[in-house]
Amino acid sequence: MIQANAFPVSYEFFPPKTPEGVEKLRAVRQQLRVRPPEFCSVTYGAGGSTQSGTFSLVQEIQQEGMSAASHFSCVGATRESVRTELRELQSMGISRLVALRGDLPSGYGLGGEFQYASDLVAFIRAEFGDAFHIEVAAYPEMHPQARSPQADLQAFAAKVQAGADSSITQYFYNADAYFRFVDSVRALGLDIPVVPGIMPITNSTQLLRFSDACGAEIPRWIRLQLQGYGDDTASIKAFGLDVVTELCERLRSQGAPSLHFYTMNQSAAVLAISERLGL
């Protein structure tokens, strides 16, 4: 049995857009080192719009002595561009990827040589063998563009069958949705880890906007409670800390393999949750 303080976690960051943001994120990573992660992932913009920022940040994290995983999307990409970019990551010593289709820009069709994340995973395996540990996305509450839960589950299965090593979920606040999804995955004979993605609650307006955009369900009781606090930031953060800590404790106690924190380039909430969990 894993001891509480040995329970693995990972962190997600996004590339800052300003020099001030770069310095702030360096400080955040230093603060989070008190709870060393299994790895840190760095997001990738639609159509590769932040590729250079992503690559420079994963390289910096790697140089700091932490394992870094680059998000890697394939919307609009060609096989040659993907091959070139993966060789660049290899030259940096990066051996972990989060392979995604990527968000479709407004008015954009399924252009490029890859239509689905499973196509990207298969290509990486064919071209690079086992050089990369490949993470893929999972959606316990269904991808917002999926035709049905069954179709979404089959899309996940295709990524696993193409060669994915493990998966990270979209964030959620309903643990039952996660456990049901894992049961459905296991029923298909798929045994890769399904790591729950955890979004700390620190800003209700931002959370509700994100959730409406990505299809993550905010349970009605949480939504109403957050709306009831209005602009009372301290109460929002205290309530969010209670809710997310209880969620993490249930996930950990009932078999989740690790926790992946969507940090939003902040450290305070993640550290507070980790402390409560005894990590």
Side-chain angles (χ1 to χ4, degrees), residues 134-138 156 160 164-169 181 192-196:
I134 302 177
E135 307 271 357
V136 292
F156 177 78
V160 178
D165 293 296
S166 53
S167 61
I168 301 170
T169 76
F181 179 80
I192 72 166
V194 179
V195 175

Side-chain angles (χ1 to χ4, degrees), residues 201 204 207-208 222-230 236 239:
I201 299 174
S204 60
L207 178 67
L208 296 174
I222 294 179
R223 184 181 288 265
L224 292 176
Q225 192 80 31
L226 290 173
Q227 291 171 340
Y229 288 129
I236 290 169
F239 171 72

Side-chain angles (χ1 to χ4, degrees), residues 27-29 31-32 263 265-272:
V28 165
R29 293 199 303 275
Q31 292 154 6
L32 289 172
T263 70
N265 289 8
Q266 307 286 333
S267 63
V270 175
L271 291 173

Side-chain angles (χ1 to χ4, degrees), residues 229 232-240:
Y229 288 129
D232 185 350
T233 303
S235 294
I236 290 169
K237 289 182 177 179
F239 171 72

Side-chain angles (χ1 to χ4, degrees), residues 33-53:
R33 285 182 77 102
V34 303
R35 180 60 186 90
E38 183 180 7
F39 67 94
C40 300
S41 67
V42 180
T43 63
Y44 204 66
S49 61
T50 63
Q51 177 196 302
S52 61

Side-chain angles (χ1 to χ4, degrees), residues 14-29 57 265:
F14 59 84
K17 295 181 178 179
T18 66
E20 293 78 14
V22 170
E23 289 303 318
K24 179 182 176 183
L25 181 54
R26 285 176 181 150
V28 165
R29 293 199 303 275
L57 183 52
N265 289 8

Side-chain angles (χ1 to χ4, degrees), residues 39 69-72 82 86 94-100 117-137 156 158-168 192-193 195:
F39 67 94
S70 176
H71 279 219
F72 199 94
V82 168
L86 289 176
I94 305 302
S95 60
R96 196 166 195 137
L97 301 172
V98 181
L100 307 163
S118 55
D119 298 334
L120 175 61
V121 174
F123 178 79
I124 295 169
R125 283 287 176 246
E127 292 283 320
F128 293 88
D130 294 330
F132 292 102
H133 179 107
I134 302 177
E135 307 271 357
V136 292
F156 177 78
K159 292 186 284 192
V160 178
Q161 291 157 357
D165 293 296
S166 53
S167 61
I168 301 170
I192 72 166
V195 175

